[in-house]
Amino acid sequence: MSRISKVERSEVTPDMAALFDKIYAQRGNVPNMFRTMAHRPEIFSTMMAHFSAVLNTGTVSTKLKELIIVRTSQINVTPYCLASHTILARGLGWTDDQLNNLSAWQTREDFTPAEKAAIRLAETVTRDSNNLSDEQFAELKSFYSDGEIVELLCSIGLFNYFNRFNNALRMEPTKPGEGGCSAPEPSTAPAEAIASC
């Protein structure tokens, strides 16, 4: 059971409700982590903007970003993030075999050398970022531009943050439909909450 409560849509400001609705429209739920972050709206809204920028901008494919997010979350043993990002990675084209056996990436022939360099980066930075050697960095530079290395590191760093947040709070995986707008009973809900649903 999660250690702290999740904020319901009916409890947030109109601006936050609009963000909840946007997330719900994209994902079919509002993840428990997001609803927990909503205890501090300023952190929640800026975190969502950063999350979107990391995953949806730049020239590194979302497919590769999701692969290294899964590897980062595997190393950190974060069931919460793995529950959603394994599904997302699968939807982007990674196979169950690749994802379930990702720790054996070095011996697999179904990852390109560039993908292997990104997975290696995820492992190194997640385990001890001080161990990123000049040799490993030179390997990265042979495949990726400076901006792409920033994208990879931001994806890895963001999920090390998310993994630790969710592990510390024992966050439960989000079920489909959770966190959306379900109008409360008229007798118990403020009129504005009903009108906005």
Side-chain angles (χ1 to χ4, degrees):
M1 181 166 200
S2 295
R3 286 179 155 160
I4 62 176
S5 63
K6 297 175 286 290
V7 176
E8 298 301 331
R9 186 190 179 284
S10 60
E11 301 171 312
V12 299
T13 65
D15 286 348
M16 287 293 100
L19 187 52
F20 270 47
D21 293 345
K22 180 179 177 183
I23 295 164
Y24 190 88
Q26 293 169 342
R27 303 176 67 112
N29 63 27
V30 180
N32 290 337
M33 176 189 153
F34 298 172
R35 292 190 292 142
T36 300
M37 286 264 187
H39 280 286
R40 290 295 176 260
E42 299 82 4
I43 295 173
F44 173 55
S45 61
T46 58
M47 183 271 299
M48 288 304 305
H50 186 64
F51 178 68
S52 179
V54 168
L55 288 183
N56 302 317
T57 67
T59 55
V60 174
S61 70
T62 303
K63 180 180 180 182
L64 180 57
K65 290 175 186 177
E66 286 293 350
L67 184 70
I68 62 174
I69 287 166
V70 168
R71 186 66 191 126
T72 299
S73 299
Q74 287 173 343
I75 293 166
N76 287 325
V77 191
T78 307
Y80 176 83
C81 292
L82 286 169
S84 59
H85 288 276
T86 300
I87 292 168
L88 292 170
R90 190 181 306 121
L92 290 168
W94 300 111
T95 68
D96 285 334
D97 184 55
Q98 287 173 311
L99 297 171
N100 293 336
N101 299 293
L102 194 47
S103 63
W105 61 268
Q106 291 176 321
T107 60
R108 296 184 68 100
E109 296 180 5
D110 53 354
F111 293 120
T112 67
E115 290 164 350
K116 288 182 177 186
I119 299 167
R120 181 180 178 203
L121 179 66
E123 289 188 350
T124 301
V125 171
T126 300
R127 291 184 173 134
D128 184 354
S129 57
N130 291 308
N131 284 334
L132 180 59
S133 68
D134 290 341
E135 172 196 55
Q136 184 178 354
F137 199 77
E139 177 192 34
L140 275 172
K141 292 278 288 183
S142 73
F143 298 113
Y144 301 104
S145 69
D146 289 354
E148 289 170 334
I149 292 170
V150 168
E151 287 182 63
L152 293 170
L153 285 169
C154 285
S155 299
I156 296 161
L158 184 64
F159 274 81
N160 271 293
Y161 157 33
F162 287 179
N163 290 168
R164 285 161 175 76
F165 181 89
N166 289 305
N167 285 346
L169 294 179
R170 298 183 183 158
M171 197 69 62
E172 298 165 319
T174 311
K175 295 179 180 78
E178 282 190 319
C181 181
S182 54
E185 292 298 317
S187 61
T188 61
E192 62 183 7
I194 297 168
S196 67
C197 289

